[in-house]
Amino acid sequence: MTGFHVLICVVVYTSVTRLHNTYVHSENISNGKDAKQSSNYENYYAAQALDRSYASSGSVTERSMMSWWEVDLRGYFTISSITLTAATLRTRYLEMRNAFVEVMDKDVSLCSDVQSEWCGNVSSTVTAGEEFTFTCNATFPVRYVRVTRPSTTNVHLVIGHVDVQGEGAKKPYRSYYKPLKNKKVSQPFLTTSTMTAGNCGIICHQYHSCTAFSYSATIPTDENCLLTDKVMSSSDDNSWTTYPISCL
C-alpha cells in the first residue's frame, strides 16, 4: 500500500508564519474553482458555467445519453444551496431540462467509496434565464458538485451559471496522501514548519481547503511545510515531496 494516512487525535500546531486564504459564510464557494464536463462542445468549456460573463451561452457538452458537469470545490464544505441558471442564447436553455444535482465527498472517477447525496432536479420545462435552487442535506463534508442530464437520446447539457453557497467543514477523520517525490507546491496558502511529513499532513487535515501539502526534511529554513488548495500546482524540486489527497 503506497502513501500514508493521518488519523486525527490531537492537534499540534507549529509556528504558522503566513496564512492567505479564509472562507466566509454565504459566499459563492464555487467561484474560481476547477470545473470539468463529460465532453466539450466547440469552445464552450465547463469553467464558463462559473463565470457570469458567460451566463448567456454557458457551458455546453457534446450530445450524449448521460452528459455531466462537475466542479471541484478544492476543499470540504457544508452546502447550504446550489443554484443553476439556464442560458439565454437562442434555445440553449432547453438543454438543461431534467438535469439533476448531487454532491460528493470524493472524485467518483478515482475513488470506490464515494459518498453522494441527491439534491434535486431541474423541471421538464425551462425558460430562458430561469433559476433553480436546491438545498442539500448531506451529512458528510462535500468537495464535489455534479450536474447530470440523463436521456434516452443523445442530448447536450447546457448550464448558464452555477452558484454554490456554503461554509468550510471539517474533513473526514481520515485523510489519505500519496507521495510525489521531487515535487514542491508552488502556490501555498500557508507556510509553516514541522518535525515530520506526518505532522505537516495533520496540519493540512485541519484546513478544509487543503488538498495537498509539500514537506522537506533538508531545506535550511524553518518553512518546510507548504499547504495548497490548488490543483496541479507543484514544481520540480529535488529536496521536496508533495502529498496530494488520494484514494486507497
Side-chain angles (χ1 to χ4, degrees):
M1 181 182 299
T2 58
F4 65 88
H5 66 265
V6 178
L7 174 60
I8 302 304
C9 299
V10 179
V11 180
V12 179
Y13 283 97
T14 56
S15 56
V16 176
T17 57
R18 292 196 295 273
L19 178 60
H20 305 307
N21 277 11
T22 57
Y23 288 88
V24 180
H25 183 50
S26 295
E27 280 195 1
N28 179 0
I29 57 175
S30 57
N31 186 38
K33 300 301 174 62
D34 298 290
K36 62 181 180 180
Q37 54 193 9
S38 53
S39 58
N40 295 317
Y41 175 72
E42 296 182 351
N43 60 344
Y44 298 100
Y45 303 113
Q48 293 175 191
L50 298 176
D51 187 339
R52 286 196 180 276
S53 66
Y54 291 97
S56 63
S57 56
S59 62
V60 186
T61 68
E62 294 280 5
R63 293 182 183 274
S64 170
M65 294 176 66
M66 188 64 73
S67 298
W68 56 265
W69 177 97
E70 183 181 275
V71 60
D72 179 355
L73 298 173
R74 293 205 309 254
Y76 295 86
F77 296 85
T78 299
I79 304 300
S80 55
S81 68
I82 300 171
T83 299
L84 304 186
T85 304
T88 58
L89 182 65
R90 296 192 289 275
T91 59
R92 285 191 178 180
Y93 56 89
L94 297 175
E95 302 290 354
M96 201 172 77
R97 292 176 296 183
N98 301 315
F100 66 86
V101 180
E102 59 186 329
V103 294
M104 298 170 289
D105 64 336
K106 299 176 183 177
D107 187 340
V108 70
S109 66
L110 298 176
C111 310
S112 60
D113 58 343
V114 175
Q115 296 185 84
S116 63
E117 183 72 28
W118 184 84
C119 302
N121 64 277
V122 175
S123 69
S124 59
T125 58
V126 179
T127 59
E130 185 173 0
E131 293 186 351
F132 295 86
T133 298
F134 310 98
T135 56
C136 300
N137 298 314
T139 58
F140 52 84
V142 171
R143 178 170 168 179
Y144 297 89
V145 175
R146 177 173 282 219
V147 181
T148 304
R149 190 184 184 207
S151 177
T152 57
T153 60
N154 289 327
V155 296
H156 296 290
L157 169 61
V158 181
I159 306 174
H161 187 255
V162 178
D163 183 303
V164 182
Q165 298 285 323
E167 61 180 338
K170 292 182 179 179
K171 294 178 186 173
Y173 74 99
R174 291 181 187 270
S175 290
Y176 296 90
Y177 304 89
K178 183 177 181 180
L180 300 174
K181 293 186 179 299
N182 305 323
K183 294 290 184 179
K184 176 185 177 183
V185 163
S186 57
Q187 299 180 57
F189 69 80
L190 184 145
T191 300
T192 186
S193 60
T194 62
M195 296 295 293
T196 66
N199 290 338
C200 189
I202 290 174
I203 297 176
C204 177
H205 188 96
Q206 299 309 304
Y207 288 91
H208 71 274
S209 59
C210 183
T211 57
F213 67 90
S214 292
Y215 174 78
S216 174
T218 60
I219 61 169
T221 175
D222 60 356
E223 297 179 346
N224 63 351
C225 174
L226 311 176
L227 275 57
T228 186
D229 60 357
K230 301 295 189 296
V231 175
M232 299 299 291
S233 64
S234 61
S235 56
D236 293 337
D237 192 311
N238 293 336
S239 62
W240 291 82
T241 300
T242 292
Y243 300 82
I245 293 179
S246 61
C247 304
L248 300 182

